[in-house]
Amino acid sequence: MNIENVHLVYFSATYTTRKVVRAVAARLPGTVVEHDITALEPPDDVALSDRGDLMVVGVPVYAGRVPVMAADALLRFRGRGTPAIAVCVYGNRAYDDALVELCDLLGDGGFGVVAAGAFVARHSIFTSIAAGRPDEADMAAIGRFGDACASLLASLPSVYGLVPPAVPGNRPYKTPGAIPIYPSGSRKKCTHCELCVRLCPVHAISPLRPTRTDGNICMSCGRCVEVCSQHTRCFSGMMYKMAQRKITKLCRERKEPEWYLAGR
Ligand SMILES: Cc1cc2nc3c(=O)[nH]c(=O)nc-3n(C[C@H](O)[C@H](O)[C@H](O)COP(=O)(O)O)c2cc1C
């Protein structure tokens, strides 16, 4: 398949998913066009063809699933026998059903999934978990995945008749548990720069009280903690500490990159 345009679609609140998919795209032929779908507002409709287009999609794993907002936004992208590469990025607990769900979403959208990968990055809520990842070894593996995708694409006449990648996961997908923990800032240290207000994907922070977060809207993505210019926003509290203890125990073992290629 001749690839001219790589449509790089990502949902990335704390930017690790973006880093991973950019590294994949760097190994692929074609011009990269980025579509950042980390927003409540739906993206414009995008229709891709089977002549020269490729879509690379990256999502973080939220509670073992594709984030709901990302799944909704992906409905706007339609393929017509267009090849696609599915990538999920997770915080060293597990990716559960997220990768299989992402592949299903792409298949339903008219894409032929040629490859799917799961990579580890720092946990965006419990940031001591997988701190520093993706590290050098991860980035090298991500590069090898990109190279494997490029070789496979070059060897295929089209996506028709491909055996989809044998991605692990369950159908029906697991029911995601609620995560009732929200970040807040310090009134003493906040300088009202409003970066968190502007960059919160769901508009859960009011400019009038930027140290607070509307718990009815917040999806606990960690974007405001990541971008806070004074490093004052953080997750905290009893519930957070208890969850942190529990999840840290589950994440002790280092998980390694995994990927799956379509067969002929
Ligand atoms: C709401 C929420 C739920 C998460 N659930 C999981 C999970 O089920 N398994 C896991 O290993 N990591 C989980 N994580 C961690 C993220 O998948 C991981 O940190 C990812 O790298 C975040 O991507 P981003 O930097 O692009 O936002 C979760 C993070 C958030 C914010």
Side-chain angles (χ1 to χ4, degrees), residues 80-93:
R80 224 184 35 200
T82 311
I85 297 170
V87 172
C88 76
V89 179
Y90 69 107
N92 202 54
R93 185 191 65 76

Side-chain angles (χ1 to χ4, degrees), residues 11-19 59-65 89-96 119-125 174 179 219-222 235 251:
F11 181 99
S12 188
T14 64
Y15 308 110
T16 61
T17 305
R18 184 178 75 178
K19 180 175 180 175
V59 297
V61 175
Y62 282 7
R65 298 281 305 274
V89 179
Y90 69 107
N92 202 54
R93 185 191 65 76
Y95 58 93
D96 295 325
F119 301 96
V120 174
R122 183 194 64 171
H123 200 294
S124 46
I125 302 181
K174 71 179 280 192
I179 306 182
M219 59 170 169
S220 313
C221 71
F235 291 99
C251 298

Side-chain angles (χ1 to χ4, degrees), residues 113-116 152 156 162-166 260-264:
V113 179
V114 295
L152 180 60
L156 295 172
L162 277 183
V163 180
Y260 311 87
L261 302 178
R264 273 175 277 181

Side-chain angles (χ1 to χ4, degrees), residues 65 73 75 84 101 114 134 139 174 195 197 220 230 232:
R65 298 281 305 274
L75 297 175
E101 182 184 10
V114 295
M139 294 309 288
K174 71 179 280 192
L195 264 182
V197 176
S220 313
Q230 304 305 308
T232 155

Side-chain angles (χ1 to χ4, degrees), residues 126 179-182 236-246:
F126 308 106
I179 306 182
I181 40 182
Y182 316 109
S236 59
M238 202 53 181
M239 193 117 88
Y240 176 70
K241 285 195 182 122
M242 278 162 59
Q244 184 170 37
R245 217 168 295 145
K246 192 173 150 196

